[in-house]
Amino acid sequence: MSHLSTMPVLEPAEGAKDQHMVINMGPQHPATHGVLRLVLEIDGEIIVRIYPEIGYLHTGIEKTCEAKFYHQVVPLTDRINYLDPLANNLCYALAVEKLLGLEIPEKAQWMRVLLAELSRLNSHLIWLGTHAMDIGALTVFLYTFREREDILRLFEAVSGQRMMTSYIRIGGLALEPPLDFLDRVQAFIRIFPEKIDEYSNLLTGKSHLPEPAQGSGPSLRRRCHCTRCYRTSAARVRSRFRSAPRHALLQL
């Protein structure tokens, strides 16, 4: 990599100029993850080096905030990461409340954590579904969006919005949650673990995950050639999903 500039240039490694090719990939919009440009050095079909250029989309949120009151910034935080908007609401609200020395009611604190965890599950479901689709497991994508739809209905019940909720406000919450909200959350959490097993069986039971992932990177090839490591990774994914609903949300 010759230098870091607004237009990065990636020169082939010394001694590999005849075998390696430097190509440009993007800028493009990879699914829902923002505009990205990649400069690749490839040896046949193997990516030897890569330089990511992420500066093609910037909404200027920080600058916009300078001209707004504290409470007017909340809708902007939804759009920092629209797959996990409530967590961004929460981070911003906590920062302003710390500056102002505000004490938040305990009920609002519980609701904030619960909604942030549901928002995290929503984000993970999109990650798992789109990753599975990229490796040829379209069914997993449809299944994860099935459960994501249940989560979005919960967000709509408390805020009136499915995604950009702006529900967590400075000092508490925008609205009182519906009387049956916790019952609806618990009903979702009771069925969710078995859905995770469905994802796992679809991915690992038919070898969708191990075969495309095995040996796809030099570091993986140096470490291991078996599928056991990838099945272990799938088990960690199941654990990550289960940890929040079973040990946190059901306690409510």
Side-chain angles (χ1 to χ4, degrees):
M1 196 175 302
S2 60
H3 61 280
L4 302 181
S5 66
T6 56
M7 295 296 291
V9 177
L10 191 64
E11 296 292 344
E14 193 66 31
K17 291 187 177 181
D18 295 335
Q19 293 81 24
H20 293 183
M21 181 182 297
V22 175
I23 64 173
N24 190 71
M25 179 179 175
Q28 59 179 315
H29 195 295
T32 57
H33 313 300
V35 176
L36 176 68
R37 176 195 178 205
L38 300 174
V39 182
L40 310 176
E41 179 184 346
I42 60 174
D43 179 7
E45 294 184 351
I46 298 174
I47 298 174
V48 179
R49 289 190 299 167
I50 185 170
Y51 179 89
E53 174 73 14
I54 63 175
Y56 284 88
L57 177 62
H58 195 286
T59 55
I61 288 177
E62 299 93 331
K63 193 65 179 177
T64 305
C65 294
E66 295 178 7
K68 295 186 178 295
F69 295 112
Y70 284 152
H71 69 278
Q72 293 177 320
V73 176
V74 175
L76 299 178
T77 63
D78 285 315
R79 290 151 179 82
I80 295 174
N81 173 14
Y82 55 83
L83 300 184
D84 195 5
L86 284 157
N88 292 288
N89 292 168
L90 179 57
C91 291
Y92 173 71
L94 289 174
V96 177
E97 288 159 4
K98 186 175 181 180
L99 287 172
L100 300 178
L102 297 179
E103 183 66 27
I104 307 305
E106 186 175 357
K107 180 180 178 181
Q109 294 181 31
W110 276 101
M111 278 294 298
R112 285 176 164 190
V113 173
L114 184 147
L115 290 167
E117 287 297 280
L118 287 172
S119 187
R120 182 174 66 89
L121 292 178
N122 167 50
S123 180
H124 287 345
L125 285 170
I126 294 178
W127 157 74
L128 182 62
T130 54
H131 175 64
M133 184 172 61
D134 288 342
I135 61 174
L138 178 60
T139 304
V140 180
F141 173 82
L142 300 176
Y143 278 32
T144 57
F145 268 63
R146 176 188 61 189
E147 275 65 67
R148 177 177 180 259
E149 186 66 23
D150 291 336
I151 295 176
L152 294 181
R153 290 194 185 103
L154 293 173
F155 294 160
E156 188 175 11
V158 295
S159 69
Q161 297 289 333
R162 289 161 56 85
M163 291 182 63
M164 311 300 182
T165 62
S166 299
Y167 184 68
I168 296 177
R169 304 291 180 87
I170 299 168
L173 302 170
L175 300 166
E176 185 76 13
L179 295 177
D180 64 341
F181 178 69
L182 290 182
D183 293 334
R184 293 175 63 176
V185 172
Q186 289 182 330
F188 168 74
I189 292 169
R190 289 190 185 98
I191 67 169
F192 191 54
E194 65 187 52
K195 306 300 182 183
I196 299 171
D197 292 334
E198 289 183 6
Y199 312 152
S200 177
N201 291 335
L202 285 168
L203 285 170
T204 61
K206 296 184 179 180
S207 299
H208 279 296
L209 184 60
E211 291 180 5
Q214 183 177 355
S216 60
S219 60
L220 293 179
R221 284 206 299 270
R222 285 196 296 268
R223 291 178 185 176
C224 184
H225 292 277
C226 71
T227 60
R228 179 173 59 86
C229 294
Y230 301 97
R231 295 185 185 277
T232 302
S233 298
R236 288 173 180 166
V237 170
R238 292 198 302 271
S239 175
R240 173 192 257 183
F241 271 113
R242 290 173 189 266
S243 60
R246 286 197 169 183
H247 300 301
L249 300 184
L250 280 178
Q251 294 178 6
L252 298 174

